[in-house]
Amino acid sequence: MTQTVPYNTQTSNTTNTTAMNGTSGEKNGKLLKGMVVGAVVGGALAMLDKTTRKRVSSRTSNVKDSTMGMVAKVRENPSGVMNDWQDRLKTASTVLKDAINDAQNLYEKVNDDVIDQVNQVKEDSSEIIATTKEAAEELKDIGGKVKEAGEEVTGDTTSSVNSSQTSTSSTASNDNNNIHPTNRTSSVPGQVGS
């Protein structure tokens, strides 16, 4: 026998969300603790090396000295330190403004000079392309004329030969008709007339 179990989605979702938030909170806490413990253990292991200990101690003492020096300056003359920092910030902002102005001038120069030159090169290349196309068309025309001249030379000789042969043959046929039968050439070799 199967037994039906009542299922309330609203209650279980709320319960599951709370459980998940609690679980993720616990996981985040464990992760943070693990990171802190790992950092402490790693630092302790790094301190086992003598050169690392010397470097850490010298840097620590340098930081301590500079901090103590700054604290002493602030105690002696707080307005002087404040004025010094303000002067430094003003100088830094002036240098930064100069750098920005130089960058703008450079940008304008690049735009004016380089872009104008690029546009000039573009126009020149367009003109060169147009001239090249015109030259190609002219070469094509010249090639056509050379071809036509060649055809005339070869075609005229052939045409002249053909037309002279045609006129000769027509003249010969006319001459044959006008020639006395005994003066005609015979188809049989050595015989005159037919």
Side-chain angles (χ1 to χ4, degrees):
M1 273 182 112
T2 58
Q3 184 178 7
T4 59
V5 177
Y7 188 78
N8 187 353
T9 57
Q10 197 171 31
T11 307
S12 64
N13 283 341
T14 307
T15 307
N16 287 338
T17 305
T18 307
M20 289 176 72
N21 286 342
T23 305
S24 71
E26 290 173 8
K27 286 181 182 178
N28 286 340
K30 288 181 181 178
L31 177 65
L32 184 61
K33 287 177 186 176
M35 288 174 61
V36 169
V37 169
V40 169
V41 169
L45 288 176
M47 295 305 277
L48 292 177
D49 185 33
K50 188 175 185 176
T51 57
T52 305
R53 282 195 309 267
K54 286 181 181 178
R55 231 184 276 147
V56 168
S57 65
S58 67
R59 287 186 182 173
T60 305
S61 65
N62 288 341
V63 169
K64 178 184 171 188
D65 292 341
S66 64
T67 305
M68 293 304 287
M70 180 61 89
V71 169
K73 285 181 183 179
V74 170
R75 281 186 186 166
E76 290 173 7
N77 188 3
S79 62
V81 172
M82 187 175 74
N83 290 335
D84 183 43
W85 278 101
Q86 286 176 346
D87 290 341
R88 288 182 186 185
L89 289 174
K90 285 179 185 178
T91 305
S93 66
T94 304
V95 170
L96 185 60
K97 286 178 185 177
D98 289 342
I100 290 171
N101 287 334
D102 290 344
Q104 285 177 337
N105 292 335
L106 179 64
Y107 177 75
E108 290 172 2
K109 183 178 180 180
V110 166
N111 276 340
D112 292 343
D113 295 342
V114 174
I115 291 180
D116 287 345
Q117 289 176 1
V118 167
N119 289 335
Q120 184 65 38
V121 168
K122 187 177 176 181
E123 290 173 8
D124 291 345
S125 63
S126 297
E127 290 175 10
I128 290 170
I129 290 171
T131 305
T132 305
K133 285 181 181 178
E134 289 174 9
E137 290 174 6
E138 289 177 11
L139 283 174
K140 190 175 180 181
D141 291 342
I142 292 170
K145 288 178 182 178
V146 168
K147 183 179 177 184
E148 184 180 320
E151 287 174 356
E152 286 183 23
V153 168
T154 57
D156 276 347
T157 308
T158 309
S159 299
S160 299
V161 171
N162 288 342
S163 60
S164 67
Q165 287 176 352
T166 307
S167 62
T168 308
S169 61
S170 62
T171 308
S173 63
N174 287 339
D175 289 342
N176 285 341
N177 291 339
N178 293 335
I179 299 178
H180 193 280
T182 56
N183 291 338
R184 279 193 247 161
T185 57
S186 171
S187 58
V188 179
Q191 210 177 32
V192 178
S194 52

